Every structure is written in C-alpha cells, then in structure tokens.
Amino acid sequence: MLALVVGVAALLGFVLPLTYGLNWLLDRVVTQRVDRDGDWQGMDIRELGAGAYPEFVVHSDEFVPR
C-alpha cells in the first residue's frame, strides 16, 4: 500500500507541475481562449456560421450584422 501511495505522490508531484507549465507556456505563445465576442455569441456561430440549436432563441437581435 505504501508503494502505491509513493507512486501516486510521485506522479502528482511530476505530472501536475509539468502539465501546468506546458499549458502556461502554450498560452503565452498561442492564446487558448476565444475573444469576448466569440464567447458571447457561442462557438457554434463563430466556428460554423450557424447556431447548434436554431429553435432555441435567446438573443435574437444581438447577432444582427451591423
């Protein structure tokens, strides 16, 4: 049982900081979040040009091109 606990602690001590560090570095090079407009509109409209649920209208007049 002690060997299992040591193994889990070693993996958490190594993999967690390594993953966090790589994601931090990747975020500095290429932003991983979408901008505010894309977040508000939804990624289905942003990426595909259409809503995923067209029958579910919440903000019908907010996405009219200006």
Side-chain angles (χ1 to χ4, degrees):
M1 187 68 158
L2 182 61
L4 290 174
V5 171
V6 170
V8 168
L11 284 175
L12 287 176
F14 176 72
V15 174
L16 191 65
L18 179 69
T19 305
Y20 181 81
L22 289 175
N23 275 317
W24 179 83
L25 184 64
L26 182 65
D27 190 43
R28 296 292 178 239
V29 175
V30 179
T31 305
Q32 297 180 28
R33 290 207 40 107
V34 68
D35 59 352
R36 180 172 280 223
D37 290 335
D39 192 27
W40 180 253
Q41 290 176 352
M43 290 307 294
D44 50 352
I45 294 174
R46 187 90 166 180
E47 294 287 323
L48 303 174
Y53 305 100
E55 67 278 357
F56 187 70
V57 177
V58 176
H59 312 286
S60 62
D61 59 340
E62 294 180 11
F63 304 124
V64 176
R66 297 175 192 166

